Amino acid sequence: MKGVLYTTGMKQDLERAIATAVQELFGVGAVIELSRPEEQFGDYATNVALQLAKQVGKSPRDVGEALAVKIRENLPDTVKDVTVAGPGFLNVALTDHSLMQAAENKPARIYEGQTIIAEYSDPNPFKPLHAGHLYTTLVGDSIARMLEIGGATVIRINYGGDVGLHVGRAMWAIIKSLGGEFPEKLPGGTISERVAWLGERYIEGNTAYTEDEKSKQEIIDTNKRVYEVQARDDHDSPFAKIYWLGREWSYAYFKVLYDELKVHQFDRVIPESEIVPLGVQTVREQLQNNVYQESDGAVVFKGEEYGLHTRVFINSQGLPTYEAKDVGLLLTKWNDYKFDRSIVITANEQAQYMAVMLKSVEQFAPEPAKRSMHLTHGEVKLKGGVRMSSRKGNTVGAIEIIEAATKANRTLVGKDDPETVLGAVKYAFIKNRIGGDIIYDPEESVSLEGNSGPYLQYAHARARSILRKAQNAANSQQLTADSHLREGERTLVRKISEYAEVVDKAVVELMPHHICTYLYELAQTFNRFYEHNRVIGDKRENMRLALVARYAETLKTGLSILGIASPDKM
RNA sequence: GCGCCCUUAGCUCAGUGGAUUAGAGCGUCUGUCUUCGGAACAGAAGGUCGCAGGUUCGAAUCCUGCAGGGCGCACCA
C-alpha cells in the first residue's frame, strides 16, 4: 500500500525531460533524481552523468556536457542554463518565469481515494497525563493532517486502556484510600484536582504492586473484578460506581487537554473494554488453528520462528493482555472501515511488541496485518537526557506544560496570547525528527526567537501587515505577470517553489519535522527580503505585493499542517 | 546474553544511500535602526560529524568491528 508519487509539477517535468534526453543521447533508461543545490549553483541538480558514465563508457564530464547541450535544446523556455560542475554534476537554472510557476505548485495527493486510519494519543484512564502524552498527541495530530494533505480520508482513532492491570492498581489504592468501597467518599473539586487525586492513587498502587506481595495479590484480584464489571455491565455495585466515575473523570480530563491543544477531534474513541471480547475470542479460535499455543497455562504466540520473540496474549488467569486486546482492536478497525492503511503512532518502547502482535495476526488475517504500520517516536526527556519517572518525582504533566508556557509568555509579552503559546509549544515538540528521544526544555518551548513557532507566526503577521497597508493593487496581480526577478525577489520565489516538494517528502516519509525545517527557512528568507527590499512605495510594488501574498499563503498553509495558527496580527 | 535504535559546535538539533567552505537556533562577542511591525537583520568565534578499519574518483551519509547510551526480550501498557 505504499503511495506512488504522482508526476506533476516543475520538478517532475524536468526529471522526465532529462530522462528523455538520456534516452535520445545514449539509448538507455535512467531514473532522474533532482535535488536542490545551494542557490549559487542553480535551482536543481542531478548526478545522473556520474551514474551513467560507466554504463555508457564515457567520462562523467563528457556525459554531463552532452546532456547539458541536449537539455538546453529541448527546454529553451524552462531552463535558463545547464552547467556541468565538479566531477560531472549537472546544475540546472530555471528561467524566472518557470521558477514563478513552480512557486504555484501544490503537494501531490498520493493517498487520493484511500481510507487511512490514524491511531494516536492513546491515553489510559486512571493514569496521569504526562509530557509524553502531549508529545504523542501532537505528533499524531500533525501526521493525520499530513495524510489529509496527501488526499486520504483519515479516520482518527483514540484507544485507551479502561481495563487492565493499571486500572487494578489504581482501583485498589482508591478503595484503600476511601477506607472501603464508598463511592460517596470520592473527592470533589475541579476535574484537574480529581484526576490529580486519581493519579496519586495510581502511583500508590503501582508502588504497592512492585514492593508488597500481599498487595500485589489484592491488586490482581481487583483487576479481575474490573473485567467482571465490564462483562456484566455492572453500574450499580459500589465498586462499579467508583470505577465508572473514575473513568468518566479521566475522559473528561483528556478532553481538557485536547481542547487546550486545539488538536483535531477524534472520529472515534475506542476503550479497551470494547474490543476485549473480539480479541479474546479470536485468540482462542486461532489457538485451535495453532497460530497461538498454550504454555504454562497462558496463551502465547511464538515469535522466534519469525525472528521475533514469544509474547503472552492471554495470561494464566484467563485475562487478555495488551496483545490480545490489540488483536481485537486491529480486527475491529478492519471490520468497521476496510482501511487501505492503518497507522498506529506510539513511543518506540512498543516497537517489538507491536511487531509480534502484527505477525500473529498476519497468520490468519493477512490483509489487515499487511496494511498496518507502526510508527514510533522517542520519549520526552528532561534537559541533560534525564528520564522522567514518577518514582523520582520529576515527571512533567501534559497540561502543566501548557500552563507553564502560558505563564512564561504572559510575563514576556504582558498579555495572554494562546495562539502564540500553542505555536511555541507545538513547534518545539514537532521540529525534531521523529524517532529519537526529544528533550523538553521549558525555556525553549516558550521561546519567541530563532527557530521557534512564534518566529514563524511573526514572519507571517509582518507580511499580512504589509498587505493590509496596500490593499488596493495588492491582491489582484499574478505573481507571474512580471517575467524578470531581482536578486532578493528571486531568492524568495525560489524558496517558495520548494514548498510542494518538501510537503511531498514529509507526507511520503510521515515526518512532520521536514515541514518545520522548511518553513523556518522560508520565514528566514522572507525576513531577509523584508530587511533589504522595500515593498510599499517601491517601483516594483505590485509585483512585490503579489510575492508577499504568495509567501504569506504558503507559510500559513504549511503551519496549518502542523496544527499551528497563523494570526494576522500578534 | 540476544534483538532493535541512538552518538554531528558549550547546549538543543537539521543534514543520512556522493559533491563545491558540514548547516541552524540558543548561549558568547560585534554591528544595523529618522525602518512596510526589532518576536528582525548583518557579522565573528566555536566541529578530526563517538573510535578504528573497509568500499569508492569521492563517505557525517554505505559495509565491518569496537566503545558509550537507550529500549525491548512470557503472563504491564
Side-chain angles (χ1 to χ4, degrees):
Chain A
M1 285 292 109
K2 270 207 160 164
V4 178
L5 267 179
Y6 287 176
T7 49
T8 55
M10 183 62 62
K11 187 184 178 192
Q12 285 76 18
D13 290 348
L14 251 181
E15 285 171 347
R16 266 202 300 267
I18 296 174
T20 305
V22 169
Q23 188 69 43
E24 287 174 13
L25 278 174
F26 306 108
V28 296
V31 178
I32 311 298
E33 282 183 16
L34 289 173
S35 59
R36 290 276 190 165
E38 280 179 48
E39 190 173 8
Q40 52 175 316
F41 301 119
D43 297 315
Y44 288 104
T46 175
N47 62 0
V48 64
L50 283 96
Q51 291 175 353
L52 284 174
K54 202 179 262 180
Q55 189 184 348
V56 179
K58 291 184 175 178
S59 84
R61 282 206 68 103
D62 288 346
V63 174
E65 295 291 355
L67 266 173
V69 170
K70 195 77 183 171
I71 294 166
R72 271 183 237 130
E73 277 174 18
N74 288 3
L75 296 170
D77 297 331
T78 319
V79 164
K80 191 166 76 183
D81 198 14
V82 184
T83 52
V84 184
F89 290 94
L90 285 182
N91 287 327
V92 179
L94 298 180
T95 61
D96 287 355
H97 187 77
S98 49
L99 188 65
M100 285 186 274
Q101 281 184 317
E104 308 280 355
N105 283 165
K106 298 275 181 293
R109 292 174 67 83
I110 62 169
Y111 301 125
E112 187 75 69
Q114 292 193 24
T115 296
I116 302 183
I117 290 180
E119 180 205 319
Y120 57 94
S121 196
D122 294 358
N124 286 331
F126 296 92
K127 285 171 79 167
L129 287 174
H130 52 73
H133 291 108
L134 177 81
Y135 179 48
T136 199
T137 301
L138 293 178
V139 169
D141 187 58
S142 61
I143 286 175
R145 289 172 197 264
M146 291 198 311
L147 294 169
E148 280 175 341
I149 291 291
T153 301
V154 178
I155 315 277
R156 293 170 167 83
I157 285 183
N158 193 1
Y159 170 68
D162 63 335
V163 286
L165 201 54
H166 63 284
V167 180
R169 288 166 173 161
M171 282 295 290
W172 174 85
I174 288 167
I175 289 162
K176 198 162 189 234
S177 168
L178 297 177
E181 294 174 16
F182 304 120
E184 65 280 5
K185 287 190 184 171
L186 282 165
T190 66
I191 190 67
S192 310
E193 287 162 351
R194 279 176 282 164
V195 170
W197 185 84
L198 286 185
E200 286 165 24
R201 300 293 81 73
Y202 168 75
I203 291 166
E204 282 170 17
N206 207 18
T207 308
Y209 185 86
T210 48
E211 290 180 357
D212 180 55
E213 194 53 39
K214 180 166 166 279
S215 302
K216 182 176 173 177
Q217 272 313 314
E218 289 172 6
I219 287 168
I220 288 171
D221 292 340
T222 309
N223 182 30
K224 267 190 184 168
R225 289 185 65 192
V226 173
Y227 277 99
E228 282 162 16
V229 165
Q230 281 286 358
R232 280 193 255 121
D233 201 20
D234 175 5
H235 284 75
D236 301 322
S237 72
F239 182 85
K241 280 183 175 160
I242 294 171
Y243 168 74
W244 292 110
L245 218 47
R247 198 184 96 137
E248 193 184 310
W249 293 357
S250 289
Y251 281 129
Y253 196 57
F254 298 161
K255 188 172 181 310
V256 171
L257 176 65
Y258 301 140
D259 287 349
E260 291 261 331
L261 284 176
K262 292 197 166 55
V263 288
H264 196 288
Q265 283 205 332
F266 289 95
D267 294 289
R268 184 168 168 192
V269 175
I270 304 184
E272 278 186 14
S273 56
E274 186 183 323
I275 49 77
V276 161
L278 179 59
V280 172
Q281 182 200 329
T282 306
V283 171
R284 293 219 181 277
E285 275 169 18
Q286 296 305 325
L287 183 58
Q288 314 303 318
N289 297 338
N290 252 332
V291 172
Y292 301 101
Q293 267 111 42
E294 263 184 279
S295 173
D296 294 339
V299 178
V300 305
F301 177 76
K302 304 214 163 169
E304 282 75 7
E305 308 171 36
Y306 309 95
L308 303 167
H309 58 270
T310 295
R311 295 196 72 103
V312 171
F313 281 61
I314 296 175
N315 71 21
S316 49
Q317 318 248 334
L319 295 180
T321 60
Y322 195 34
E323 285 80 348
K325 295 174 193 173
D326 250 316
V327 171
L329 176 63
L330 177 53
L331 295 178
T332 297
K333 289 174 181 170
W334 178 242
N335 293 338
D336 292 356
Y337 303 104
K338 290 289 181 288
F339 52 79
D340 294 288
R341 271 165 87 103
S342 170
I343 301 172
V344 176
I345 299 158
T346 74
N348 50 29
E349 60 186 357
Q350 296 187 13
Q352 280 124 308
Y353 147 75
M354 198 69 84
V356 174
M357 193 282 294
L358 278 175
K359 184 53 79 177
S360 82
V361 173
E362 198 183 311
Q363 309 308 309
F364 56 88
E367 258 328 291
K370 282 182 196 158
R371 296 181 186 206
S372 294
M373 72 172 282
H374 187 208
L375 195 62
T376 66
H377 57 254
E379 278 180 58
V380 180
K381 294 193 167 173
L382 300 171
K383 216 172 171 180
V386 178
R387 199 177 184 206
M388 290 191 259
S389 89
S390 49
R391 198 169 271 246
K392 286 185 202 157
N394 63 351
T395 55
V396 179
I399 288 174
E400 205 180 306
I401 288 176
I402 306 170
E403 283 170 354
T406 303
K407 203 173 154 191
N409 189 256
R410 191 182 302 142
T411 54
L412 229 53
V413 187
K415 56 167 180 161
D416 272 6
D417 195 347
E419 286 183 327
T420 305
V421 170
L422 275 185
V425 171
K426 288 187 180 182
Y427 189 86
F429 277 93
I430 297 175
K431 74 175 179 183
N432 290 341
R433 186 187 191 85
I434 295 171
D437 291 341
I438 73 155
I439 307 291
Y440 168 68
D441 180 344
E443 286 186 25
E444 203 204 302
S445 69
V446 300
S447 171
L448 307 175
E449 294 164 10
N451 190 2
S452 69
Y455 174 97
L456 300 184
Q457 292 173 317
Y458 183 75
H460 172 264
R462 257 183 151 182
R464 292 290 176 203
S465 177
I466 293 176
L467 297 172
R468 259 198 311 277
K469 292 207 163 131
Q471 288 162 339
N472 44 354
N475 310 311
S476 56
Q477 183 170 348
Q478 288 293 311
L479 183 56
T480 45
D482 193 326
S483 59
H484 291 288
L485 292 167
R486 302 286 173 80
E487 198 181 320
E489 296 163 357
R490 195 180 199 283
T491 303
L492 184 53
V493 174
R494 186 179 184 275
K495 192 43 99 174
I496 295 170
S497 77
E498 289 176 31
Y499 174 78
E501 292 162 26
V502 171
V503 173
D504 285 349
K505 181 181 161 101
V507 169
V508 167
E509 295 180 9
L510 298 177
M511 291 278 180
H513 80 285
H514 285 130
I515 296 174
C516 293
T517 306
Y518 166 74
L519 292 180
Y520 178 59
E521 289 167 3
L522 175 66
Q524 239 179 357
T525 305
F526 171 74
N527 276 333
R528 284 173 192 151
F529 171 81
Y530 180 95
E531 292 286 335
H532 302 295
N533 301 279
R534 186 80 200 174
V535 176
I536 296 172
D538 189 89
K539 274 180 289 187
R540 298 177 62 73
E541 174 171 327
N542 283 350
M543 183 275 153
R544 287 184 174 172
L545 284 171
L547 174 55
V548 170
R550 187 84 277 280
Y551 151 77
E553 268 318 292
T554 304
L555 181 55
K556 182 176 189 154
T557 311
L559 281 171
S560 75
I561 303 176
L562 307 172
I564 296 176
S566 306
D568 287 351
K569 294 177 184 176
M570 293 175 72

